Each structure stands twice: as structure tokens, then as C-alpha cells.
Amino acid sequence: MAARKENSTYTLNEKFITECDLTYAVNKIGGRWKILIIDKLANQKLRFGELKKEFPNITERMLTLQLRALEQDGLVKRTVYAEVPPRVEYELTQMALEFVPIFRQLSEWGGKHRNLTQKLKIRDKP
Amino acid sequence: MAARKENSTYTLNEKFITECDLTYAVNKIGGRWKILIIDKLANQKLRFGELKKEFPNITERMLTLQLRALEQDGLVKRTVYAEVPPRVEYELTQMALEFVPIFRQLSEWGGKHRNLTQKLKIRDKP
DNA sequence: TACGGTACTAACAAAAATGTAAGTAATGGC
DNA sequence: GCCATTACTTACATTTTTGTTAGTACCGTA
């Protein structure tokens, strides 16, 4: 999200890893709040302020940054209404909608994983 | 991977977002090299040195960190053979193997997304 | 006794992501 | 004129993630 030095190992490695479509994909949804935002928008348009209310501790700055990134990556469409006070609506694009089913599977896997891990931890106790 | 201050907003927010199984899941595979490592191990066991050769610019430190995290999260099994020089083999766990099909779908989506985005960028040129 | 090979570890530095706090524009209603 | 509302932006601080460099243990072999 900020400007980057070219040719740093950091940048070179990023290029290398995103040659893989999967890593590329995960990078697109990798921000801290992006997935949750996509989830909230899966069934409805929402205004900036409405999204903000969904996440008690998010700052306006972070919400803005994540939405901008999603917009840049073609996953969210932003519509500004020329009113005062301003009204801005966010909705998913077709590409993001295609992600939603995969999304659900990942979520299921996550839940299963969480349970298993917790059980393992209980077992670990002496 | 390092020790964290409790109760920083950063940590609080992390707890909040990982209440969602999906975000939880994505966090597990979120490190820079984790997905690529899982990919390489999808069909075979590999030794530390073999993994290292798969990623030209990875440092030993990063490879170690990512493998440790995957091991902690129950996605990779580490087997040490008591030999000199040492031999250590890494393989996926059942849970990681269950992730692989989802993985493939995500990868497909990523490829599609990459193509679309590139086309959009071409179109954007005046 | 020195050396090679493997799989690391430790101390430090750079870069990125996230959070804090304050401020902005625009305009209709009082 | 002043205030409230909304969706931001800016400068800065904190925290995490990633990279750099140098080193370690082990033991069979030369």
C-alpha cells in the first residue's frame, strides 16, 4: 500500500511468490480486514459508516485502506452519490462474488482445523 | 511468531478477526512462503535442503520460521533422523492434505483474476 | 587434527502493516 | 454565521514481518 523500493530482496521475493496463482490470490485477500469486508458485502451493499459499525475496533483509516485496495484489485465497486453529507456505497464485483463459494469451503476447513487444534492442545496437557 | 504484547489494539483486533473461521484459516496459511511450501509437499516428503532449493531466494531463517509455524499449526509433520550430518524430513498432515483441493480452486480463481486484472489495465491505457 | 556436510540458531537491520490522533470539505438547517 | 453529518486524509507511532550475516553441533573421513 505504500511505495516500495525496487530490487530489494523483499520485492524480488514478492514477485517470485506471486508467480503462483494461489499465492497471488491469497495476497489479494490478505489484508487484516479484507475477508471480513467481503463477507459483509456478500449479500448486500453497504455504506462506509455501516461497514464501520460491523467492526467495533476498526479505525476509519484501516477501513479506507482496505476498501481502496479491494477496489484497486477489482473486488469491490465504489459508488459515490453527489450529496451532502456524502453517501458512498460499496458492493462486490462479479469476480469477488465468484470467490464466495471457495470462501465458504475455506471457512469450513478453518472451523474443522480450529476444533482439531484445540483438542490437540487439551490432550497435550500432562 | 515473536512474543506479543497482550491487549494492544493490534492483538485485540487479531482476536476479533480470527473469531471468523475463514480469517482464522487464512491466518494459518498467511506467511509469505507457507502456501508454496504446502504446494511442494503436496505429493512428496522433502528434506530441509530440498525445500530450500525449491525457492531460490529464501533464507534458511525464513524457511525455518515458516516450517516451525506450519508444524505448530498441525499442518506439517517433522521427522528427525538421528544421523550425522542430520536428516530432517517434512510432510503434510491429514489436515493439510484436506486443504489441498480448496487450494486448487483458489489457485484457479487467482489465475482468472490475474488475467482479468491485466486486461483491465490494458483497457485503462488512453 | 582439520574439514565437510546438514539443519539449524542468534543478534541485528530493514521494510511493511497496522494503529493513534487530529483535521478537512461540503451544505442544509438553526 | 455556526453546527452537525459523512466519508474521508494526514502525520506520526507502534508492532509485526521479513531479510542479513555470522555462527553452532554433530561425527565420519582424510
Side-chain angles (χ1 to χ4, degrees):
Chain A
M1 303 185 189
R4 278 186 184 166
K5 277 194 185 170
E6 300 296 317
N7 299 329
S8 65
T9 303
Y10 187 93
T11 303
L12 287 176
N13 278 343
E14 181 166 61
K15 281 178 191 160
F16 175 79
I17 64 173
T18 52
E19 279 168 21
C20 162
D21 283 340
L22 179 55
T23 307
Y24 174 89
V26 171
N27 267 30
K28 294 299 173 194
I29 55 169
R32 174 157 266 206
W33 305 94
K34 285 187 193 170
I35 292 175
L36 294 165
I37 291 170
I38 293 176
D39 184 48
K40 294 299 177 192
L41 294 178
N43 304 307
Q44 60 196 325
K45 292 184 186 183
L46 285 175
R47 297 179 59 176
F48 185 87
E50 291 170 328
L51 273 170
K52 200 185 154 200
K53 280 180 205 147
E54 298 282 350
F55 312 117
N57 289 315
I58 199 173
T59 62
E60 298 187 338
R61 175 179 141 78
M62 279 312 295
L63 185 51
T64 303
L65 281 175
Q66 304 274 294
L67 285 169
R68 288 289 179 279
L70 287 168
E71 196 191 355
Q72 279 285 320
D73 286 335
L75 298 175
V76 158
K77 189 183 164 206
R78 178 169 177 268
T79 310
V80 184
Y81 296 89
E83 304 172 358
V84 170
R87 180 158 64 98
V88 181
E89 284 187 348
Y90 293 92
E91 64 190 304
L92 296 190
T93 63
Q94 182 60 29
M95 210 187 309
L97 287 170
E98 285 173 26
F99 173 65
V100 173
I102 302 173
F103 189 106
R104 304 285 181 221
Q105 293 180 339
L106 243 186
S107 177
E108 232 175 272
W109 182 82
K112 199 169 167 186
H113 181 262
R114 191 205 297 271
N115 287 338
L116 273 173
T117 307
Q118 280 175 355
K119 277 183 198 157
L120 288 176
K121 281 188 183 158
I122 290 164
R123 254 189 243 136
D124 274 350
K125 287 184 187 170
Chain B
M1 306 187 187
R4 275 186 185 166
K5 277 197 185 168
E6 301 295 318
N7 299 328
S8 66
T9 303
Y10 188 93
T11 303
L12 287 177
N13 277 344
E14 182 166 59
K15 282 179 189 158
F16 175 79
I17 65 173
T18 52
E19 281 168 19
C20 162
D21 283 340
L22 179 55
T23 307
Y24 174 89
V26 171
N27 266 31
K28 295 298 172 196
I29 55 169
R32 174 158 265 207
W33 305 93
K34 286 186 192 169
I35 292 174
L36 294 166
I37 291 170
I38 294 176
D39 185 47
K40 294 298 177 191
L41 295 176
N43 305 306
Q44 61 195 326
K45 293 183 187 182
L46 286 174
R47 297 179 58 176
F48 184 87
E50 291 171 329
L51 273 169
K52 199 186 154 200
K53 279 178 206 149
E54 297 282 351
F55 311 117
N57 289 315
I58 198 171
T59 62
E60 299 186 339
R61 174 179 141 78
M62 279 312 293
L63 185 52
T64 302
L65 282 174
Q66 304 274 294
L67 285 169
R68 288 289 179 280
L70 288 168
E71 196 190 355
Q72 279 285 321
D73 287 335
L75 297 176
V76 158
K77 188 182 161 208
R78 178 169 177 267
T79 310
V80 184
Y81 297 90
E83 304 171 357
V84 169
R87 180 159 64 97
V88 181
E89 284 188 349
Y90 293 92
E91 63 190 305
L92 295 190
T93 62
Q94 183 58 31
M95 210 188 309
L97 287 169
E98 285 173 27
F99 173 65
V100 173
I102 301 173
F103 189 106
R104 303 284 180 222
Q105 287 176 275
L106 245 185
S107 177
E108 231 175 275
W109 181 80
K112 198 169 168 184
H113 179 266
R114 191 205 296 271
N115 287 338
L116 271 173
T117 307
Q118 281 175 355
K119 277 183 199 156
L120 288 175
K121 281 186 182 157
I122 291 164
R123 254 189 243 135
D124 274 349
K125 288 183 188 171

